[in-house]
Amino acid sequence: MTDHSIMDHTIPVGFWIFSIISIVGVHVGLYKLFEKAGIAGWKAFVPFYNYYLCVKLIGKPVWWFLLLFVPIVNAVMIFLIATELVKAYGKDGFWAGVASMMIPQFYYPFIGFDKKVKYLGPPHEVYKGKKKTFWREWADAIAFAVIAATFIRTFFFEAYTIPTTSMESTLLAGDFLFVSKFHYGPRFPMTPVAFPFAHHTMPFIGGKAYSEIIKLPYFRLPGLQNIHRNDIVVFNFPEGDTVYLPDPSQDFYDYKRQGTPGRPFTYRPDQITTRPLDKRENYIKRCVAIPGDSLKVVNGVLYINGELAYQPENLQKSYTLYSKPNVVISDDFLVDQGVDTLDREARSRRFYEDRSSSVVVSLTQEIYEKLKPNPAIDRIEPTYYPNSHSDVSVNVVNFQRTYPHNLNVQRNSNDEFGPIYVPKKGETVAINKNTYPFYKRIIESYEHNKISYDKEGNPYINNQPLTEYTFKQNYYWLMGDNRHRSLDSRYWGFVPEDHVVGKAEMVWWSWNSKVPFFQRFGTIRWDRVMRFV
């Protein structure tokens, strides 16, 4: 069984053209700048040596050049050298510094071919004794920090906070992660005009933090690896294209699915908004199946291609704990046993049965084994969600909420699901009324085809019957490690490759985010700080 998928790193022709123009522009510009400094212009085209000469021109020590070989640090050094280089030619203005960092492919030739521009010498000598204003110092520092940090955030790694309990106990609510962009290849921004460091909403004041005035096609650069089964992946929420503004944390489509024929979900047009792909909410789950896999869940157990799937060490499932008669299971008791009582959702209901107190909790196998012999516990029963019921109307809403949201095709639940095929780029599947619901959202939303239907509900594409379909990209199936407390692919289906953001690599900080801010300092989880995922 293969354990990885092949990601598509096909780069559009437009990007190749822009890259060639940029490479030529930078080197031609350096050619002219070197000549102005009395250096042979051809040396601008010698890799590495050209940057060594730039370091010498700005009067910096050789360790500046050596830092260009240190990953991530080199991104910062390139921007530093760029700003210092244009200063050596008399361009000490704020916008000159910004241009040298953001568009050197155009700015270097612009000043290189300007006959009025001369090489003045290392900036620390040229501007010795010249003091910048307080505001200019801050403006330069902020511009450099924003540009450098945005570059690192886009192409190397990004900080991410775990907001929910869906990955517990592997990842906890309140964990702060570094998410690697270069493992799977950095994805270029599709909506590049945006407020720095904000995802989709402006901090404090609200409203959109981006503009769609420029829209770029999807592409990503080659990475260190493909997506492997069981990688923990950050991705843009596939159903996040439409947002219900009164409750943006809730899936709009799930709201609609929970409606019933007698009481459908209603909303006004002004209560919804749309988001471009790269500005949809970031989610984090475990990739349990890759393109070409077939998966199913039987009695709560996941199988991939007919074989028992990997079971994470900290996998959690829901159990009902029944205490002995006249014994009440308190929060303090659960804390002592290692159960996180601050997650109220995990203990969603309390009730009394035969004078015994009971509580629903999410447990790892380790804590389950620890609790079983406890004298206060009468019994522990797994919570099981079947996919059938003697009275189908009772479960009709749950059936509609789980993928593929079609009662006539497949009735799924958390613990009984599938089988289902995970589409692979270039693979062709037969399409009919029974198979189309599985791929409907892929074909219509993710691969942007216009579909019509005849009176019998059969799909048509380009006015021709849709009898088979070849997928244009890879897809993945992702699930949370807290299997009964995770809204994942079992509810909204496949994750397209172009939605993949990066790979979770390290927890750099962790505390309990469920308590008031100043109380969190007493909940720091030191054993999780700087721990690789």
Side-chain angles (χ1 to χ4, degrees), residues 69-206:
F69 297 92
V70 180
I72 301 176
V73 176
N74 54 8
V76 177
M77 296 307 300
I78 287 173
F79 290 129
L80 276 173
I81 292 170
T83 57
E84 290 293 300
L85 183 64
V86 297
K87 289 179 183 178
Y89 290 83
K91 301 299 180 180
D92 189 36
F94 172 79
W95 291 110
V98 171
S100 69
M101 290 187 285
M102 297 194 67
I103 51 171
Q105 65 271 48
F106 304 117
Y107 193 59
Y108 285 178
F110 174 74
I111 61 176
F113 284 93
D114 187 342
K115 295 182 179 179
K116 297 179 182 179
V117 174
K118 307 294 182 183
Y119 174 69
L120 304 180
H124 68 274
E125 296 178 2
V126 174
Y127 303 98
K128 186 177 181 179
K130 181 181 179 181
K131 190 175 181 180
K132 296 181 181 179
T133 66
F134 172 83
W135 296 111
R136 174 61 192 282
E137 289 277 6
W138 273 99
D140 285 351
I142 291 172
F144 177 82
V146 168
I147 293 171
T150 300
F151 184 85
I152 292 171
R153 185 172 179 258
T154 301
F155 296 101
F156 291 95
F157 61 83
E158 181 177 0
Y160 178 81
T161 306
I162 301 296
T164 69
T165 61
S166 68
M167 282 297 294
E168 290 193 351
S169 290
T170 305
L171 296 172
L172 306 180
D175 280 353
F176 290 74
L177 297 177
F178 282 138
V179 176
S180 167
K181 301 292 186 72
F182 54 84
H183 270 78
Y184 304 142
R187 184 184 64 177
F188 272 66
M190 285 162 267
T191 48
V193 180
F195 186 81
F197 312 127
H199 183 44
H200 51 61
T201 303
M202 289 291 292
F204 306 115
I205 63 174

